[in-house]
Amino acid sequence: MRRKIVAGNWKMNLVREQAVLLAKEISNERKIDGVELMIFPPFVFVDPITQQIGTDLKVGVQDIYFETSGAFTGEISIAQAKSVGAGIALIGHSERRELFNETNTILKKKVDAALSGQIDFIFCCGEPLNIRKTGREYDFVKIQLEESLFHLSEEEIKKVIIAYEPIWAIGTGETASTEQAEEMHAAIRSWLMERYSEQTAEIIPILYGGSCKPDNAKELFACKNVDGGLIGGASLKTSDFIAIANSF
Ligand code: 13P
């Protein structure tokens, strides 16, 4: 059986007191059997949060840099993230790709750095609206995976979590329909099968992200190839985040 994961990407929200409080509230909630919860607060709050909560809530960073140290003003290395308790990183979120010009080539370097620096990661992919409108979403997402991820060996790819986040559904209130989500997730799994093997494709969790909320999570998570969610807005409210996790 595949892992079930509900992850909260807090993006650039909250200040320290609010962030620590939210993390504590989530951490104190009764844990849902078999569902892994993760939070991705802004980097500066990782340390105060990991100091104050238990290890059953995994804390991650929203981005990492691929170099190990040196003159890279403003960037954060994997060793630095790990040194404050981060156990996982997001790589390739669409906001990093679109607003900060992160290309498939840069993301490939981040993927390699994460593997050599031994930090888990969620690799994000997904198409913008103009690509979906012209029916090219499958080619677009496949290229994202081929250019940043599919150079990994079979042993390496087994450690990866993938998140499919159609950009037109992020923060817009417009969720992909269950059919749209399931079709893309099934396609991603079939490409994993082609590139690697059926066994490997079967164990890699594929999360959905994009306006996932308590009222649509149940339907989405019921899809055969949807193994959880990467939640933005709704992860900033404990009751919503927990309700989403309870949707399994
Ligand atoms: P929303 O849930 O706010 O649409 O954001 C999704 C997302 O980008 C998670 O990484």
Side-chain angles (χ1 to χ4, degrees):
M1 242 222 331
R2 281 193 295 272
R3 293 161 72 187
K4 294 183 169 68
I5 299 165
V6 174
N9 175 9
W10 295 1
K11 308 193 178 184
M12 198 177 74
N13 291 296
L14 311 175
V15 293
R16 182 186 164 117
E17 293 72 23
Q18 295 167 324
V20 171
L21 182 66
L22 179 59
K24 277 188 183 164
E25 280 177 6
I26 294 170
S27 166
N28 289 337
E29 285 286 332
R30 195 174 54 82
K31 290 294 164 296
I32 303 105
D33 256 4
V35 180
E36 292 175 52
L37 289 187
M38 303 176 180
I39 54 170
F40 293 84
F43 180 70
V44 284
F45 306 140
V46 170
D47 189 40
I49 287 173
T50 53
Q51 300 272 346
Q52 296 193 50
I53 61 164
T55 51
D56 50 350
L57 179 61
K58 199 159 187 173
V59 182
V61 288
Q62 297 172 12
D63 186 30
I64 37 124
Y65 197 52
F66 51 78
E67 296 287 356
T68 49
S69 67
F72 304 102
T73 300
E75 293 295 334
I76 286 142
S77 75
I78 291 165
Q80 289 170 333
K82 286 168 70 174
S83 74
V84 289
I88 186 161
L90 297 182
I91 294 183
H93 191 278
S94 62
E95 287 144 23
R96 300 295 320 167
R97 292 173 184 265
E98 291 212 312
L99 304 173
F100 304 98
N101 304 319
E102 294 197 4
T103 60
N104 291 344
T105 311
I106 292 174
L107 297 174
K108 181 182 183 189
K109 289 189 190 180
K110 293 193 174 189
V111 163
D112 289 339
L115 281 161
S116 55
Q118 298 184 342
I119 191 165
D120 292 343
F121 64 94
I122 299 181
F123 181 84
C124 307
C125 58
E127 80 287 356
L129 185 59
N130 65 320
I131 296 288
R132 163 112 1 211
K133 274 189 171 160
T134 49
R136 290 176 292 145
E137 65 272 23
Y138 291 98
D139 288 345
F140 188 90
V141 172
K142 192 174 185 197
I143 288 171
Q144 288 181 324
L145 299 176
E146 282 175 348
E147 293 190 352
S148 305
L149 214 51
F150 282 6
H151 63 289
L152 298 182
S153 71
E154 187 150 10
E155 276 324 294
E156 289 168 336
I157 197 85
K158 284 181 184 164
K159 299 177 187 149
V160 178
I161 300 167
I162 294 174
Y164 168 61
E165 300 200 298
I167 299 173
W168 45 272
I170 295 180
T172 57
E174 187 176 343
T175 322
S177 67
T178 46
E179 292 76 24
Q180 286 170 323
E182 172 58 21
E183 275 167 16
M184 183 60 82
H185 283 231
I188 293 171
R189 207 172 300 289
S190 74
W191 301 327
L192 286 163
M193 208 181 303
E194 276 164 29
R195 166 67 183 86
Y196 298 97
S197 65
E198 187 170 350
Q199 265 170 323
T200 295
E202 270 309 309
I203 60 166
I204 296 178
I206 308 176
L207 315 183
Y208 169 80
S211 298
C212 185
K213 301 202 165 55
D215 61 7
N216 59 25
K218 203 168 191 161
E219 247 190 321
L220 285 161
F221 295 174
C223 296
K224 188 165 162 259
N225 286 291
V226 177
D227 307 307
L230 181 53
I231 321 298
S235 72
L236 296 169
K237 203 172 152 198
T238 306
S239 56
D240 283 354
F241 188 59
I242 295 299
I244 290 172
N246 276 329
S247 301
F248 270 110

